[in-house]
Amino acid sequence: MSEQGNSKSCRYILPQYFVRLDGCHAPLGCALEEALLLKKNLRGTVTAVTVGPAQAQEVLYASVARGADSAVRVDADEFDPNLVSYILSLAIKRLSCDLILTGVESSDGMSSQVGVSLATELALPYGYAVTKIEPGSELKSLIIERELGGGRHQTLEVSLPALLCIQSGIARLSYTPAAKLFQARWSGVACLAPATLGMSSDELKKRRKLTIVEVLEREKTSGIQMLTGSPDKVAHFIFDKIKEAG
C-alpha cells in the first residue's frame, strides 16, 4: 500500500491479453469495469496491459477512454498462454501494483490459463471465477466471492498483493465515449519490445510450447430445406431423414 497524506490509495494493474479488438469480450470487459469501480471507491489508479501486435492497441484505447489512467502494450504476437503469462509477468514486474485483475479466459484461445499462470509467475495468491470483491481490514486484504460450480460459491479473504480472475457478468459493461476514444488514440500508449524486458528470441523459442499449425474455416454441417407437400408426405420425408442419420 502507498499512503498519500492521511488517505490510502491502491494501484491496480489490469492485464488484457488476446482480446478482441473491439474490447467487448465479456470476461476482460468485466475485469476492467471492476478495476474502475475499485478505483472509484478506493482512490486507486488503473493501468491496462496487453500482449499483442499493433492492432491490439484498440482495446487499450478503449480502456483509457472508459477510465484507465494509463496503458502498456508489449509488442509480441504470441498464442501460447504459458508464454503470454511469462511476458506479462516481466512487464508487470516493472510496475508497482497491489492488485492484478484478469478475465477468466481470452476471446481467441479460450484456454483459461493465462490468469492462473501469471499468478504462478509472479508468486501471488489468486482467486478464479471471482464474482464479488470487497475491501478487507485496513486495505491489506480483499474479501472475495468466487464460483465453485454446481451453484455453489466460496468466500475468501485474500492478502494483497494478489491476482483475481474476474467472472463474466460481475459488472455491467460501460459505454465507450467516442470523444474520449478519439483523445486516447491521439495520446497513444506506451509500447515495450520483448528485448526491452530482457527476452531474447532464443528464450522465447525455448519457452514456446504451442505453435499454430493451420487455421481452417468452419465446415458447414447443417442447412435449411423448405419442405412442401401434404402432411403425410412431409412426415414420411422427415422420418426417412432421421432413419438415414441413424
Side-chain angles (χ1 to χ4, degrees):
M1 289 295 177
S2 61
E3 295 191 10
Q4 299 178 352
N6 295 325
S7 63
K8 296 181 178 180
S9 63
C10 296
R11 179 178 176 83
Y12 301 95
I13 304 299
L14 177 68
Q16 291 192 314
Y17 45 87
F18 286 115
V19 296
R20 288 189 292 185
L21 298 183
D22 57 10
C24 293
H25 186 46
L28 298 174
C30 290
L32 174 60
E33 293 297 335
E34 188 62 27
L36 296 176
L37 181 60
L38 290 171
K39 169 187 173 180
K40 178 181 178 181
N41 294 335
L42 303 176
R43 304 188 198 180
T45 60
V46 176
T47 300
V49 184
T50 189
V51 174
Q55 298 96 314
Q57 291 190 178
E58 285 299 320
V59 74
L60 296 181
Y61 296 147
S63 298
V64 172
R66 288 160 66 180
D69 299 278
S70 59
V72 177
R73 178 178 69 87
V74 181
D75 189 22
D77 192 4
E78 297 291 344
F79 179 81
D80 188 336
N82 297 293
L83 189 53
V84 173
S85 62
Y86 174 67
I87 296 173
L88 279 172
S89 69
L90 294 180
I92 291 174
K93 285 177 181 178
R94 292 181 165 226
L95 305 171
S96 175
C97 65
D98 297 302
L99 180 64
I100 301 170
L101 302 180
T102 76
V104 293
E105 63 183 13
S106 61
S107 61
D108 59 349
M110 300 184 70
S111 61
S112 301
Q113 295 182 37
V114 175
V116 177
S117 297
L118 179 58
T120 302
E121 291 285 354
L122 296 173
L124 292 177
Y126 71 90
Y128 187 81
V130 175
T131 58
K132 186 177 181 181
I133 303 175
E134 294 180 350
S137 58
E138 298 182 359
L139 291 181
K140 294 181 179 180
S141 64
L142 293 174
I143 307 299
I144 66 170
E145 186 174 297
R146 60 183 294 265
E147 290 184 354
L148 294 179
R152 298 176 300 164
H153 290 78
Q154 183 182 51
T155 301
L156 298 171
E157 183 173 6
V158 182
S159 59
L160 296 174
L163 183 147
L164 303 178
C165 303
I166 305 300
Q167 179 63 288
S168 303
I170 189 174
R172 180 179 295 180
L173 301 184
S174 61
Y175 173 74
T176 304
K180 291 186 177 181
L181 182 60
F182 177 81
Q183 184 178 2
R185 288 172 177 166
W186 181 264
S187 301
V189 298
C191 181
L192 299 176
T196 306
L197 301 175
M199 291 180 292
S200 64
S201 57
D202 292 337
E203 183 179 3
L204 290 176
K205 184 177 180 181
K206 183 179 179 180
R207 284 179 169 269
R208 189 176 292 114
K209 298 179 181 180
L210 297 176
T211 56
I212 299 177
V213 177
E214 188 177 7
V215 178
L216 302 175
E217 293 185 3
R218 184 174 61 180
E219 295 182 0
K220 293 182 178 180
T221 58
S222 62
I224 298 176
Q225 181 179 357
M226 299 299 296
L227 303 181
T228 58
S230 65
D232 289 341
K233 183 178 179 181
V234 171
H236 282 294
F237 181 84
I238 294 175
F239 178 79
D240 291 338
K241 286 294 182 181
I242 295 174
K243 189 176 180 180
E244 290 176 6

